[in-house]
Amino acid sequence: MQEPHQLNVYKFGGASVKDAAAIRNLRHIVQQAVPGQLLIVVSAMGKTTNALEEIYHRAHSRLDYAPQLKALRDFHEGVAQELLNPAGAHPAHNEPLQALFAELENQLAALEPGDYDRQYDQVVSFGELLATRIVSQALAAQWLDCRPLVRTDHLWREGRLDWATTERNIRSVVPQLLQQGPVVTQGFLGGTSSGQTTTLGREGSDFTAAIFAHCLQARAVTIWKDVAGLLNADPKIFEDTVRYPEISYQETIEMAYYGASVIHPKTIKPLAVKRIPLLVKSFLDPTAEGTIIHDCRHDSLPPAFIRKAGQCLVSFESKDLTFISEENLEVIFGALAQVRLKIHLMQNSAISFSVCTDYSAYRLDRLLEMLYEQFTIHYNTGLELYTIKNYDAASIQRLTQGRDLLLEQRTRQTFQFVCRGAS
Ligand code: ASP
Ligand code: MG
């Protein structure tokens, strides 16, 4: 029988498996893990998901993708070679890797026109399959295909979880494996009832770790990152960041919702409902404290700064200059949902309604097509959305200074504005 609270779930993102040295470091962290069972969730290596997106896009557009595919293959084979066969045995003998590349080549050769999102999942999922093969070999750990377990619907690229089936699947398979030793599985992937691969949304591996932890009542989840823990801002964008030694589930959910890239937004709830703590630690300094996300209260927190780039602001005016009514809004929301543009911020005035969303030329074109007869539509692209959570006057001043604001909004805790991008 499974001992409750014995299991730790570790999640390693792309940066922590970006080359052979990184995977050796991962191995060291795993060797130092507290005693007990260990489930390891791994993302695609480095920027592999982006590379696969490009290969997929080229293949789907009938452009040559051979050089990009070769680079991807050379990279993975090179890492595997360095880690596993330093004496020089050829990666051609690494059967699991060879089988995956053969399968990927077949998928790409067999792409059909249209059906973009479904076929995207079948191709882009190879990043995690390859990474977990290499990592499990490097750890001499068991490799688990998560796709038959993590059941989703058919919402390609953003599969929605069927919790009941997933929980049943995971509980019926994984505890026995864990008794035999560490298990390595893929983040980001799921599967439909008909056995097709889905993905859970970009950066979705954190969510995978939470799914397994929830279903198996883990003791804790640790996300290993290239930063010292959960910071109040992305240090690649902002100066003078501070680390939260501890932070509540609620605060973290809100930060993720506003686009902090620390943790995938869906990760927290499955952990919070089971009170499983989430640790965010640096794989560069594994013994440092990091951040613990759990049930706690805060009197005050330093302001958090969040930037979302690649935004567009779309404004709708009713053509007959009538007021923006509930009926009009219903049409606009319906169209946004249909083209799968998510609203990050919205504002309305008497005759116009504006939304800030991620910019996608394809989705925006479809939106305009659906709505141009009913509304006059203007849009600006190349924008950034900034959010300051727990703001004060100084933090607003610091961030808005010298920027050309197109829209701003504030609630008691949150100040947000849309402005033109830096470049
Ligand atoms: N590899 C996927 C991505 O880059 C999933 C993840 O990293 O969490 O989006
Ligand atoms: Mg990634």
Side-chain angles (χ1 to χ4, degrees), residues 14 43-44 46 49 203:
S43 307
T49 304
E203 308 304 326

Side-chain angles (χ1 to χ4, degrees), residues 317-320 327-328 331 370-376:
E317 272 173 35
S318 50
K319 281 212 165 143
D320 52 4
E327 287 75 17
N328 281 337
V331 172
M370 289 172 77
L371 296 178
Y372 81 99
E373 280 181 357
Q374 222 172 322
F375 301 94
T376 306

Side-chain angles (χ1 to χ4, degrees), residues 78-124:
V79 172
Q81 164 97 357
E82 192 182 332
L83 275 172
L84 309 164
N85 315 84
H90 198 269
H93 301 303
N94 191 329
E95 275 169 29
L97 281 196
Q98 295 310 320
L100 283 173
F101 276 112
E103 212 186 309
L104 173 58
E105 269 172 24
N106 288 340
Q107 292 270 10
L108 288 166
L111 290 182
E112 285 161 13
D115 205 9
Y116 193 87
D117 289 346
R118 186 188 65 77
Q119 298 186 93
Y120 169 103
D121 280 354
Q122 312 317 306
V123 169
V124 169

Side-chain angles (χ1 to χ4, degrees), residues 217-219 249 269-278 294-295:
Q217 185 67 59
R219 193 186 69 83
Y249 293 120
K269 191 173 160 210
L271 300 178
V273 296
K274 295 237 172 146
R275 301 194 163 211
I276 299 169
L278 173 59
H294 61 166
D295 247 336

